[in-house]
Amino acid sequence: MSRVFDELTNFARARSLFILHYCTGCGAIELPPVMTSRFDMERLGVSPMVTPRQADILLVTGYVSIKTLKRVMLTYEQMGSPKYVIGICSCTVNGGMYWQSYATAKRLDEYMPVDLYIAGCMPRPEAVISGLRELMKKIEQGEANSWKEYYRNYDYYLGNQQHLFGDQWQTPVDVIGEAEHYGLVGDGTRGEHTALLEQVQHPLKPLEMRL
Amino acid sequence: MNMDAFTPWLDALCGRIDGMVVACSDLAQRRSRIDLPSEELTTLLEAAKGEMGFVHLSAISCVDWIEEGEFELVYHLWSYEQNQLLSIHIRVARDLGRFQSVYDLYRPAGFFERDIHEMYGLYFEGAPDMEKFILTEWNGPPPMRKDFDSEAFVGETFDWQQYNPEWLQEIVAAGGGVVVPPTEQRFSQRKKVDGPDWSGDHPQAKRGQE
Ligand code: SF4
C-alpha cells in the first residue's frame, strides 16, 4: 500500500516542479526561450519560482565563481526537501572554458550533489527541455535522490566547502539536525569537517554594510 | 572655455614639468598620451584639473611589466570643457610595492586603487580603504601579477572530472560522442605536431606575397 502511495507522490512531484530563478553564468541566456512561448516549459508543469524555500529545482546555469558558490550553497541549503540540482553548461561539469581561472569552482558535484548535468556551451533550449524531461522521468521512478546524498555525506561536501571558503565557513542551516529529522544520518554525515564546524560555529550576525 | 587652449597649454606644461613626454596621433585627435616620472604625477593632475577642467578620472589601469620590475599605472582623465582624453602613464618600482594615492584630488580613485591593491598588491598610501574589494573569498597572492601562476594554482586547488569515463566510452563505441583529450585541447599542454607552423608567418600572408 505504501508503495502505491509513493508512486502516486512521485507521479505528482514530477508534474509540478518549480525552478528557482537564480542564474549564475552565461548559460542562463537560454532559459528565457525555455520559459516563454516558443519552448514553453510550463506545458511540462515546470515554472519559475522566486524564493528558494518554495522551489524544487536549483538550476545552476553555468560557471560559479567561488564568491557565487557561497551564495549557491546558502540557497541550496535553504530549499526544502526533496530538492533537485541540475548543472547546466560544461562549466559546472569540469570548469569548461574557465578551467584555468583562479576564481571559478570547477566541479559542482564536489560541493552539492547534482542530479543531472546538461552539457554544452551553452546547451540549446531543446537540450534544457530534454534534460528536464529526463529529470521528471527520474523523479517518477524514484531515482532522483541526490538530496539524500547531501545529508548522508555531509562531511564530504562540507570538507570541500571549507577547502574553498576557509575554516570559518558556516551556514545558518543546521544540516545535521535536518538529517536527523529526515532519518537520513549516514556514516558520512559526521566527521572531521563537521567537528571543525562545531568548534568554530558562532551565532550569525547581520552583515555590516560598507562602501 | 576656449577649445583651442588645450594644445598651447600642453606645450607650456612640458616646460614646467621635467621629463614629461607627450604623444598625440593624427588619428585620435582627442587623445593625448603623457609619459611622466612618477614624482611629477600630482603636479600634473593638479594642473590638469585646475587649469583645463579635467575633472573626470574614469579609470586607473595597471600593467605588470615583470621583466622590467615595474608597474605601469595609467590615469585616464576626461575634460568636459576641452572634450579631450588624457592618458597619463607612470612607472612605479615593483619591489617597493607602494605609491601615493590621488584620492584627495579625485574621489573615485579610492575604488580604483583598492581594486589595484587587490589585484596587483600595490599599496596606495593615503587611500581611505585598502581592504578586500571584489575578491572577498580570496586568500592567495594578488592574482593579476604576472608571477602568479593561475594554472598551477588551479591544479593544486581543484580536482577534475574524469575525461574519459566508462559511460562515455560506451557512447563512443556506439559511434557517438566527441573525445578530445586535454593534451590536445589545452594550449599549454598541447603537443607540437607536424604541419603548418602557425607561430611564424601566416601561410595566408605568404600566399599574398607570391
Ligand atoms: S559552459 Fe559556456 S555558456 Fe556555459 S557558463 Fe560556461 S562559458 Fe558560459
Side-chain angles (χ1 to χ4, degrees):
Chain A
M1 185 61 206
S2 78
R3 256 202 64 226
V4 176
F5 193 67
D6 275 357
E7 267 176 29
L8 188 68
T9 26
N10 282 340
F11 178 85
R13 265 178 196 158
R15 270 154 188 78
S16 139
L17 291 170
F18 286 89
I19 294 185
L20 177 62
H21 206 99
Y22 180 78
C23 301
T24 56
C26 23
I29 280 297
E30 296 294 332
L31 287 187
V34 177
M35 282 172 198
T36 48
S37 53
R38 176 131 187 236
F39 293 95
D40 192 17
M41 68 182 184
E42 218 162 316
R43 73 200 147 94
L44 305 175
V46 185
S47 64
M49 173 49 68
V50 285
T51 79
R53 293 188 193 279
Q54 293 160 22
D56 303 301
I57 303 182
L58 176 61
L59 271 188
V60 182
T61 51
Y63 58 85
V64 273
S65 69
I66 295 172
K67 202 168 178 171
T68 316
L69 184 65
K70 241 184 191 176
R71 278 77 190 170
V72 174
M73 284 323 305
L74 291 171
T75 315
Y76 176 74
E77 291 192 351
Q78 280 182 48
M79 287 167 64
S81 304
K83 51 193 169 188
Y84 313 101
V85 179
I86 302 185
I88 292 193
C89 278
S90 320
C91 281
T92 56
V93 182
N94 215 358
M97 69 184 230
Y98 295 101
W99 68 276
Q100 207 183 18
S101 158
Y102 60 89
T104 62
K106 307 298 172 231
R107 288 176 54 183
L108 186 63
D109 58 7
E110 287 198 325
Y111 310 101
M112 62 179 77
V114 178
D115 278 290
L116 193 90
Y117 282 114
I118 304 173
C121 179
M122 46 198 60
R124 294 264 314 146
E126 292 95 325
V128 178
I129 292 278
S130 86
L132 287 171
R133 291 200 108 113
E134 193 72 23
L135 180 72
M136 288 165 68
K137 218 192 302 169
K138 277 178 89 175
I139 295 173
E140 215 168 309
Q141 288 162 359
E143 288 168 6
N145 287 328
S146 75
W147 60 277
K148 293 182 182 166
E149 263 332 270
Y150 193 67
Y151 294 116
R152 293 203 182 108
N153 290 321
Y154 181 53
D155 190 54
Y156 166 75
Y157 294 112
L158 183 68
N160 289 332
Q161 291 161 25
Q162 282 170 348
H163 178 56
L164 282 194
F165 308 144
D167 292 344
Q168 298 297 319
W169 167 245
Q170 71 172 69
T171 56
V173 180
D174 176 15
V175 179
I176 299 182
E178 280 185 13
E180 280 163 358
H181 173 77
Y182 288 120
L184 288 173
V185 181
D187 291 341
T189 305
R190 288 199 183 80
E192 44 171 334
H193 303 296
T194 49
L196 182 64
L197 176 69
E198 268 160 34
Q199 270 174 32
V200 297
Q201 215 163 20
H202 54 86
L204 289 175
K205 285 185 291 260
L207 275 180
E208 180 196 347
M209 294 291 281
R210 194 159 58 88
L211 270 185
Chain B
M1 193 181 273
N2 184 3
M3 286 276 283
D4 301 329
F6 180 68
T7 323
W9 171 78
L10 211 53
D11 289 341
L13 207 62
C14 283
R16 263 158 57 192
I17 298 178
D18 288 340
M20 173 171 148
V21 183
V22 181
C24 305
S25 93
D26 290 341
L27 285 176
Q29 296 191 344
R30 292 192 175 175
R31 272 189 98 135
S32 331
R33 171 187 169 135
I34 297 181
D35 283 275
L36 199 70
S38 59
E39 10 1 306
E40 301 287 355
L41 178 73
T42 13
T43 324
L44 178 65
L45 288 184
E46 269 167 11
K49 191 177 178 185
E51 295 164 17
M52 280 291 128
F54 281 93
V55 289
H56 185 169
L57 174 69
S58 50
I60 306 176
S61 27
C62 184
V63 188
D64 185 1
W65 298 102
I66 186 165
E67 273 144 31
E68 290 144 51
E70 282 172 336
F71 283 124
E72 179 173 8
L73 289 175
V74 189
Y75 294 75
H76 304 269
L77 294 179
W78 178 261
S79 164
Y80 293 96
E81 290 164 10
Q82 306 296 327
N83 284 338
Q84 285 279 348
L85 184 74
L86 265 193
S87 316
I88 303 168
H89 295 241
I90 57 166
R91 298 274 184 134
V92 207
R94 207 166 173 278
D95 295 338
L96 194 61
R98 318 190 136 245
F99 191 58
Q100 93 245 34
S101 165
V102 295
Y103 177 71
D104 45 357
L105 278 169
Y106 292 98
R107 286 298 146 110
F111 285 114
F112 305 145
E113 288 168 352
R114 197 167 154 191
D115 192 32
I116 292 176
H117 175 242
E118 180 168 64
M119 293 293 186
Y120 293 88
L122 181 62
Y123 189 88
F124 287 88
E125 279 161 10
D129 193 353
M130 286 275 108
E131 287 296 300
K132 285 183 177 178
F133 186 28
I134 290 167
L135 300 176
T136 45
E137 266 76 22
W138 180 252
N139 296 315
M144 297 285 273
R145 287 171 87 107
K146 284 274 193 295
D147 48 8
F148 172 73
D149 188 346
S150 184
E151 209 170 317
F153 172 83
V154 166
E156 275 167 32
T157 315
F158 300 102
D159 290 333
W160 303 98
Q161 203 95 260
Q162 241 187 312
Y163 263 89
N164 205 1
E166 268 170 35
W167 57 264
L168 186 58
Q169 286 166 14
E170 279 166 26
I171 296 177
V172 173
V178 185
V179 185
V180 186
T183 37
E184 285 174 26
Q185 207 170 31
R186 298 183 172 172
F187 287 104
S188 52
Q189 296 178 14
R190 205 179 268 179
K191 279 180 271 145
K192 290 273 171 291
V193 283
D194 295 340
D197 181 13
W198 296 93
S199 58
D201 287 344
H202 197 282
Q204 236 136 34
K206 271 193 202 133
R207 200 181 303 151
Q209 286 161 10
E210 280 162 12

